[in-house]
Amino acid sequence: QPIQMENPYKEPPKRCILCKITVDYKNVQLLSQFVSPYTGCIYGRHITGLCHRKQREVTKAIKRAQVLGFMPVVLKNPQFLTDPKICNIKY
Amino acid sequence: KPETAAALKRTVEALMERGAVVRKLENLGERALPYKISKHSERHRRGWYFLIDLEAPPSIVSAMMEHLGRDIDVIRQGFVKHPVAKPEECAGMIPVNHEGKLKGQK
């Protein structure tokens, strides 16, 4: 008779890329990686691939940095244009 | 440079008057602003960034925003809460069952 048990070969659930990293409104470089270089609009969850909590934190931090004068609004800071690609987007 | 020092001193003194305890004062340097800001009939392109760590009752906030808004040397002001270090609760990304949600299953 087969014994009912949990799947022993279960993999641990995947983590998003920002899992262990605290998101701060001051590190503009990290925040600019989730912003479009052409329009400056913030990418959605289907593009960034972040989990719910981290996406919300990143969005809040970006808006805060934009208001307080740390990050530009309608464009991406040209210093950070050559950063490695994190988001799942094709230009 | 002496003007910025004087402006800083004024703000810190105003904060101490209202009963705020200043813990740290960090200088984030002089940089070009991300966008041109027009304040007090002047268009600004470069500015000094300062971060003041302080403990204060929340009633100070509105009074200080007004005070800093009137100060000519301050381009933009803002109060931000300290980020509380939350415990690591991330359970990882569990795949969402969209079909189940559509049919209202639980």
Side-chain angles (χ1 to χ4, degrees):
Chain A
Q1 284 285 322
I3 312 168
Q4 291 290 335
M5 63 193 283
E6 269 184 43
N7 185 359
Y9 301 106
K10 212 173 204 176
E11 295 157 9
K14 281 196 231 164
R15 308 241 139 179
C16 62
I17 43 180
L18 287 189
C19 200
K20 303 279 181 190
I21 304 172
T22 43
V23 175
D24 197 11
Y25 68 95
K26 282 172 261 163
N27 64 346
V28 183
Q29 183 151 28
L30 172 67
L31 296 177
S32 301
Q33 286 180 314
F34 298 105
V35 164
S36 161
Y38 302 109
T39 57
C41 61
I42 309 175
Y43 288 139
R45 199 167 313 158
H46 56 289
I47 302 178
T48 59
L50 294 173
C51 60
H52 183 83
R53 186 188 298 162
K54 280 298 168 184
Q55 176 77 25
R56 224 176 10 176
E57 274 180 40
V58 164
T59 309
K60 288 264 174 195
I62 291 178
K63 295 305 272 181
R64 203 184 254 183
Q66 284 172 348
V67 156
L68 292 177
F70 281 98
M71 198 166 124
V73 183
V74 283
L75 53 107
K76 194 164 159 179
N77 199 328
Q79 263 185 317
F80 307 135
L81 271 181
T82 46
D83 279 349
K85 240 175 49 164
I86 286 187
C87 306
N88 179 17
I89 195 165
K90 255 196 315 182
Y91 293 124
Chain B
K1 188 72 195 295
E3 295 166 350
T4 42
L8 255 185
K9 212 171 157 193
R10 258 183 287 139
T11 40
V12 174
E13 272 172 26
L15 279 165
M16 311 267 267
E17 257 184 82
R18 324 272 160 119
V21 178
V22 177
R23 264 193 277 175
K24 260 203 281 186
L25 171 52
E26 284 168 18
N27 177 6
L28 305 163
E30 193 203 4
R31 323 183 207 165
L33 298 176
Y35 41 89
K36 291 175 265 204
I37 302 180
S38 34
K39 192 89 198 262
H40 298 122
S41 62
E42 237 196 67
R43 209 100 193 275
H44 301 274
R45 295 231 197 118
R46 295 189 70 85
W48 290 90
Y49 284 74
F50 293 102
L51 178 65
I52 307 181
D53 237 344
L54 58 105
E55 292 204 17
S59 45
I60 287 191
V61 173
S62 41
M64 276 314 294
M65 291 290 271
E66 253 187 284
H67 181 271
L68 289 167
R70 272 176 278 148
D71 193 346
I72 317 176
D73 289 324
V74 174
I75 301 176
R76 192 157 284 186
Q77 60 277 2
F79 278 83
V80 167
K81 279 201 288 194
H82 259 290
V84 182
K86 268 183 77 178
E88 293 286 325
E89 279 171 14
C90 188
M93 295 201 282
I94 312 164
V96 182
N97 187 3
H98 293 285
E99 264 190 42
K101 271 202 174 176
L102 188 64
K103 293 179 189 170
Q105 285 171 12
K106 276 196 187 171

